Amino acid sequence: GKGKIKRSRTIEINFPAGINDGDTIPLRGEGDIGVNGGPNGDLYVTVNVKRHPIFTRNGSEVYCDVPITFVQAALGAEIDVPTIDGIIKYEIPEGTQSGTSFRLRGKGIKILRSGVRADQIINVVVEVPKNLNNEQKEVLEKFAEVTNDKNYKQQKSFFEKIKDNFKK
């Protein structure tokens, strides 16, 4: 009766770099046929950005948790760090604490409608070894014997605060 036929068709869409979850892209003239022979309407596509198993995103900044060993944290090391462009080498300084963040300039997502890229933040997570054998335990016990309060500034500061707050 209305001279309209329902049909499906595929439209290719070019998403701009840096598009955000929830953004809407208007496609002019790709919607329904106009009334009384008028021009086609517009089609609006709302974007849902799929979560990544390694990276998280806040705006155009990219975040990544990178596990390192106790030895790498204590002595410093060159580690492989994933970025959205591939793996790069990054030098972790000696004495790095778990939870320390490092900024990789220009390794994030391209900022929409600009040629600038945001940063990537890597959060270091020091992994404590499990299931140690007797030899490994002995080495760590020997290490504990030769270290002192100078090697553990946060712990020393923490216990000093406790003493100060619980004095009677």
Side-chain angles (χ1 to χ4, degrees), residues 25 74 109:
I25 298 175
I109 294 173

Side-chain angles (χ1 to χ4, degrees), residues 18-166:
I19 195 160
N20 294 302
D21 192 55
D23 284 356
T24 301
I25 298 175
L27 300 173
R28 305 288 179 222
E30 296 292 345
D32 283 342
I33 296 173
V35 179
N36 296 326
N40 288 2
D42 297 335
L43 172 65
Y44 292 91
V45 177
T46 301
V47 176
N48 290 312
V49 178
K50 184 178 177 182
R51 295 207 182 277
H52 194 276
I54 296 173
F55 302 113
T56 56
R57 182 177 172 186
N58 184 2
S60 295
E61 284 190 332
V62 173
Y63 292 82
C64 179
D65 290 338
V66 179
I68 62 172
T69 67
F70 165 76
V71 174
Q72 289 172 316
L75 301 178
E78 184 177 82
I79 63 168
D80 290 334
V81 175
T83 70
I84 59 176
D85 298 320
I87 294 175
I88 64 165
K89 299 284 186 192
Y90 189 80
E91 189 69 34
I92 298 292
E94 82 174 47
T96 296
Q97 301 296 311
S98 190
T100 301
S101 296
F102 298 100
R103 182 174 298 273
L104 305 177
R105 301 242 178 250
K107 293 294 184 186
I109 294 173
K110 186 176 175 186
I111 298 171
L112 198 56
R113 294 186 247 325
S114 83
V116 179
R117 285 184 64 175
D119 299 335
Q120 177 175 330
I121 310 299
I122 58 170
N123 300 310
V124 174
V125 180
V126 178
E127 186 175 6
V128 178
K130 294 182 179 182
N131 304 319
L132 299 174
N133 63 32
N134 287 336
E135 182 184 357
Q136 293 165 326
K137 288 178 185 178
E138 287 175 21
V139 170
L140 283 176
E141 287 168 358
K142 177 71 175 160
F143 174 77
E145 289 174 14
V146 297
T147 57
N148 57 42
D149 288 347
K150 290 182 198 174
N151 299 109
Y152 298 102
K153 290 181 181 179
Q154 289 181 6
Q155 185 180 34
K156 181 180 177 186
S157 173
F158 175 74
F159 285 115
E160 285 174 354
K161 288 176 190 174
I162 288 175
K163 273 198 285 186
D164 291 344
N165 284 309
F166 288 102

